[in-house]
Amino acid sequence: MLPIAFHPIYQHPLPDGHRFPMLKYELLPQQLLHEGTAVAADFFEPTACDIELVLAAHEQEYVQNLIALQIDPRAARKIGFPLSKELVKRELIIAQGTVIGAVKAFEHKIAFNIAGGTHHAFPGHGEAFCLLNDQAIAAHYLLNKKLAKKILIIDLDVHQGNGTAAIFQNNTQVFTFSTHGKTNYPFKKETSDLDIAFEDHTSDAVFLKTIAEVIPQLIKEHKPDFIFYLAGVDILATDKLGKLGCTLEGCKTRDEIVLELCAKHQIPVQVSMGGGYSPEIKTIIEAHANTYRVAKSIF
């Protein structure tokens, strides 16, 4: 079984011409079901995350203003989505999907969220399509419930997990690891526990060699008992918001490296899908679907 968090609210309506490919949240579940990678029983529908859980990762004033839709207009523009009660509800549901998935991963070894990977959400503000940091909220949940003692966050999206780095900057129980494009957004990087910034047009060979060397060492040194994996597919050479040079096959091999290590070391893993902005939606769906196909073959 592959537990997969999904709710119809994930596909939120946006103004015509908006650059965020919201359609992927409708098409990805359909593709997984169509090809048999997932069955209907794999999917679970989360409800809204309890505010107390959110406050473990985010400042109370920010969360209250977000719910009341009283975010400063300049700060709201940094988020990139028109704010609405439905959008905030969507974010709370995505966060809960990751929380529940993290718990399910202890039984099933792995769990997914069709959305999530909102790593640009800071304690006190959101930016770049991220309002609430789903994996940070879930990591705090596991620690507070004493379900985990040492967590490794592996963020292989093309953009640095700046919000995640900020949230856990003083937390020794969570090790944040981010690979990203050196010249990509965010242009002012935060400091993760380990950052690896790749030059523009970095190839599969360089990217894969790097993570294949680094991640086993991180596991050996820090001995995590839980891993959160942010599997953004904006590392593709075709991506409109990324500058790396990875292929679909390289992106799939990346997932194999990470998930095979989780299985080998018997570390439960929760996977959020993160970014993907290639011009053709079929490329985005294929890259995301590969992550699930890899998981099915391993777990």
Side-chain angles (χ1 to χ4, degrees):
M1 183 179 188
L2 295 178
I4 304 169
F6 174 71
H7 192 291
I9 203 173
Y10 284 9
Q11 193 195 0
H12 182 75
L14 292 173
D16 290 344
H18 197 285
R19 62 180 180 170
F20 191 88
M22 199 66 77
L23 181 60
K24 73 177 186 176
Y25 298 123
E26 177 183 347
L27 296 182
L28 181 56
Q30 292 178 5
Q31 177 62 31
L32 297 175
L33 289 168
H34 172 73
E35 67 187 33
T37 298
V39 297
D42 290 332
F43 290 89
F44 64 93
E45 190 169 292
T47 56
C49 188
D50 188 272
I51 299 303
E52 290 302 313
L53 302 187
V54 176
L55 293 177
H58 294 282
E59 296 171 6
Q60 185 168 5
E61 182 180 8
Y62 169 60
V63 175
Q64 288 176 339
N65 288 341
L66 188 62
I67 292 170
L69 304 181
Q70 293 179 347
I71 299 293
D72 176 79
R74 184 177 176 183
R77 282 195 296 274
K78 289 184 71 174
I79 290 172
F81 290 144
L83 286 182
S84 66
K85 288 192 177 296
E86 190 75 356
L87 179 68
V88 175
K89 180 181 178 182
R90 172 185 184 269
E91 298 301 308
L92 290 167
I93 288 173
I94 289 173
Q96 182 68 359
T98 298
V99 171
I100 296 173
V103 174
K104 286 180 177 291
F106 286 100
E107 178 183 355
H108 300 284
K109 310 304 180 187
I110 190 169
F112 285 88
N113 197 334
I114 286 287
T118 43
H119 59 166
H120 300 309
F122 281 72
H125 73 272
E127 58 184 57
F129 311 137
C130 301
L131 285 77
L132 299 172
N133 195 311
D134 66 304
Q135 292 187 324
I137 291 168
H140 276 292
Y141 180 85
L142 295 185
L143 294 175
N144 291 339
K145 293 291 185 180
K146 302 193 185 311
L147 295 172
K149 293 180 180 179
K150 185 70 177 183
I151 291 172
L152 171 62
I153 297 180
I154 299 175
D155 185 339
L156 304 187
D157 192 276
V158 81
H159 305 107
Q160 191 211 30
N162 55 346
T164 306
I167 288 171
F168 293 113
Q169 60 182 337
N170 297 315
N171 191 325
T172 58
Q173 289 184 278
V174 179
F175 189 96
T176 54
F177 168 49
S178 175
T179 65
H180 43 267
K182 184 177 181 179
T183 65
N184 264 95
Y185 176 92
F187 304 111
K188 177 185 177 298
K189 306 290 194 287
E190 298 295 321
T191 303
S192 308
D193 290 305
L194 178 61
D195 287 298
I196 296 177
F198 290 109
E199 299 291 343
D200 290 358
H201 314 300
T202 291
S203 67
D204 286 346
V206 173
F207 186 95
L208 297 173
K209 181 176 185 292
T210 301
I211 66 167
E213 291 174 352
V214 170
I215 297 176
Q217 193 63 30
L218 291 179
I219 292 173
K220 180 180 179 180
E221 288 181 7
H222 299 283
K223 297 179 174 55
D225 48 17
F226 197 92
I227 288 175
F228 286 96
Y229 175 34
L230 203 169
V233 301
D234 42 13
I235 65 169
L236 294 177
T238 54
D239 199 89
K240 293 183 293 184
L241 302 184
K243 298 181 181 180
L244 299 188
C246 295
T247 65
L248 274 168
E249 192 58 37
C251 193
K252 182 179 181 181
T253 302
R254 174 203 67 173
D255 296 334
E256 290 173 347
I257 291 170
V258 175
L259 298 183
E260 284 176 356
L261 283 167
C262 292
K264 175 184 176 182
H265 293 280
Q266 298 183 319
I267 305 170
V269 57
Q270 187 279 331
V271 187
S272 288
M273 303 320 297
Y277 310 94
S278 292
E280 294 194 38
I281 192 72
K282 67 180 181 180
T283 304
I284 301 172
I285 299 303
E286 180 68 8
H288 279 315
N290 274 339
T291 311
Y292 292 83
R293 294 165 186 151
V294 167
K296 187 175 179 66
S297 71
I298 294 172
F299 294 93

